[in-house]
Amino acid sequence: MTVLPIILVAASLVLAQAPTDPPSNQTGRLPALGWNTWNAYGCNINESKVLAAANQFVSLGLKNAGYEYINIDDCWSVISGRDSSGRIVPDPTKFPNGISGVASQVHALGLKIGIYSDAGTNTCAGFPGSLGHEVTDATTFASWGIDYLKYDNCNVPNNWTDSSSPPGGDWYNSNSAIRYRQMAAALAHISHPIQLDICIWGLADVWTWGARVGHSWRMLGDASPTWSYIMNIIKVNVAHLDAVDFFGHNDMDMMEIGNGDLSIQEERTHFAAWAFFKSPILLGTDLSQLTSEEIGIITNKELLAFSQDTIIGTPAMPFIAFPGAPTTSPPEYYAGASSKGIHVFIINTSSSTASKNFALSNVPGLGTSGNFKIHDMWSSSDLSGIFSANSSFTVDVQAHDTVAYLITRA
Ligand SMILES: *[C@@H]1O[C@H](CO)[C@@H](O)[C@H](O)[C@H]1NC(C)=O
Ligand SMILES: *[C@@H]1O[C@H](CO)[C@@H](O)[C@H](O)[C@H]1NC(C)=O
Ligand SMILES: *[C@@H]1O[C@H](CO)[C@@H](O)[C@H](O)[C@H]1NC(C)=O
Ligand SMILES: *[C@@H]1O[C@H](CO)[C@@H](O)[C@H](O)[C@H]1NC(C)=O
Ligand SMILES: *[C@@H]1O[C@H](CO)[C@@H](O)[C@H](O)[C@H]1NC(C)=O
């Protein structure tokens, strides 16, 4: 048995050399608000489409509502390889002014710009990846003025994967995490802060180490514009809400509002859940096609304020609505604190559920005495009446809809 010790020595050499640079604290304190090309256009992207979205951020009031990042996803570079200096080259047909030309126009609108790469040899669509080129690529992105990097997980060489639990059981020391740590180190050594999204699809227990490496981390594979995706990612996410706080956010993937055939109620639940779990909210549709009702959802001031609270960084968590309440998967009742008070969110997940109710005394943080008023965050209006701590509150929720309340002392 001489082979085993040699493997262990090799593994510990990689570990000893793996960088440990923490993510920048100049960016990513709050969940990112923005837009990304992928769900809208896939690989069929170009400068006009990116700049159209940036201009719509201004004209549709999204910039005023707090949306900031315009992010370019996969397929932006020349697929055949790097230039003679080893740099990735922007596709000159799609981006005739380069990425730096787009970046300067996005910055001129008072917005920020994101780019995409991959912790493997190639991106998911087969374009050059950054594994082994981290310093060159981080430096190139910084020279273009990039503010955000989505870093994907396709085309990973065999010797960089993890076939079992890493040494010591800490996934921070896994090959998967080290691939991301190498990019984090490269980003740490450039002067310009770049927010890092670890697009690792919920693998390698990323919620246990994501905040030591980046600012947000994907919890599952790609989103689809379906109710089943929304229910599934909420189920996955509720198991790991303890990982979420300032500078570290579970990423539930980019938004599908405007895509597929989601009902308006389902779109409200989609937006509310991403906001109350403090996921990044990156819109993913042709913004010019959104209805005024959909724009109303994505610019809802009170839900965005919960997401972007500067005093409280933790998300809403499931709670037991009344003694003996049935449990569902995903849960339907959530409560969380903001700097304005205590919030309750209720999702109607089922076509057979009865009217929703909760005992005020069961809401964490509310206290068990005194009187309260209840404010509807969607309509920005107070409900009539005063509710005592010993009362129950009942509401009819439409199929697949989510109600959102702020509860404060009367
Ligand atoms: C931000 O990071 C820098 C560099 O690591 C550190 O010196 C500084 O104390 C940090 N600031 C805060 C507010 O954590
Ligand atoms: C981008 O694509 C659209 C249609 O797909 C086209 O009208 C436009 O001219 C293109 N812009 C560039 C810079 O290629
Ligand atoms: C995988 O192989 C490459 C090429 O030999 C090497 O540079 C790299 O360090 C290896 N990765 C690990 C985790 O051993
Ligand atoms: C939830 O949606 C179903 C339809 O799927 C509806 O029958 C039910 O009344 C709704 N629940 C409430 C509390 O309104
Ligand atoms: C509920 O509390 C109010 C005072 O806040 C009190 O007058 C009332 O008797 C209480 N009701 C019950 C059922 O305990």
Side-chain angles (χ1 to χ4, degrees), residues 166-190:
D170 182 354
W171 283 89
Y172 179 71
N173 293 323
S174 65
N175 284 328
S176 302
I178 291 170
R179 286 184 287 113
Y180 286 87
R181 286 162 58 183
Q182 291 184 172
M183 180 53 88
L187 295 175
H189 291 102
I190 55 177

Side-chain angles (χ1 to χ4, degrees), residues 21-273:
D21 306 67
S24 169
N25 59 15
Q26 304 303 301
T27 184
R29 182 170 188 261
L30 303 176
L33 300 179
W35 178 87
N36 172 294
T37 52
W38 186 258
N39 289 351
Y41 301 120
C43 271
N44 191 14
I45 55 171
N46 67 29
E47 175 179 303
S48 324
K49 288 173 177 172
V50 174
L51 292 178
N55 283 299
Q56 283 149 355
F57 264 26
V58 178
S59 62
L60 296 173
L62 294 164
K63 182 189 173 200
N64 278 346
Y67 288 86
E68 187 175 24
Y69 289 94
I70 296 289
N71 293 351
I72 299 170
D73 207 283
D74 205 348
C75 311
W76 57 268
S77 69
V78 169
I79 198 161
S80 55
R82 293 166 177 267
D83 70 12
S84 55
S85 310
R87 286 182 299 232
I88 307 184
V89 182
D91 183 315
T93 308
K94 293 173 182 166
F95 296 98
N97 299 297
I99 300 299
S100 63
V102 183
S104 58
Q105 293 184 74
V106 168
H107 287 151
L109 293 169
L111 301 170
K112 292 182 174 161
I113 186 157
I115 199 83
Y116 165 99
S117 192
D118 189 283
T121 56
N122 292 85
T123 70
C124 297
F127 294 79
S130 294
L131 185 65
H133 303 270
E134 293 87 354
V135 171
T136 303
D137 291 353
T139 308
T140 304
F141 298 156
S143 76
W144 293 341
I146 292 296
D147 305 296
Y148 184 108
L149 173 63
K150 171 180 169 181
Y151 202 41
D152 216 336
N153 193 38
C154 284
N155 296 304
V156 177
N158 265 339
N159 73 329
W160 275 111
T161 60
D162 295 289
S163 53
S164 59
S165 186
D170 182 354
W171 283 89
Y172 179 71
N173 293 323
S174 65
N175 284 328
S176 302
I178 291 170
R179 286 184 287 113
Y180 286 87
R181 286 162 58 183
Q182 291 184 172
M183 180 53 88
L187 295 175
H189 291 102
I190 55 177
S191 55
H192 184 67
I194 296 184
Q195 195 169 137
L196 177 61
D197 179 60
I198 300 168
C199 184
I200 196 171
W201 320 324
L203 301 175
D205 285 4
V206 62
W207 48 86
T208 65
W209 53 268
R212 284 180 274 171
V213 178
H215 302 93
S216 58
W217 45 88
R218 279 276 299 281
M219 297 301 287
L220 198 60
D222 282 6
S224 62
T226 59
W227 179 244
S228 64
Y229 176 79
I230 294 169
M231 288 292 93
N232 195 32
I233 184 66
I234 292 175
K235 272 185 221 169
V236 168
N237 206 33
V238 290
H240 304 293
L241 294 173
D242 288 343
V244 179
D245 207 335
F246 293 126
F247 290 109
H249 299 104
N250 292 348
D251 181 354
M252 300 166 75
D253 201 10
M254 298 160 318
M255 305 300 287
E256 296 283 10
I257 289 175
N259 302 335
D261 57 2
L262 294 173
S263 70
I264 201 78
Q265 291 81 6
E266 290 168 345
E267 293 188 334
R268 268 200 291 268
T269 294
H270 184 4
F271 182 74

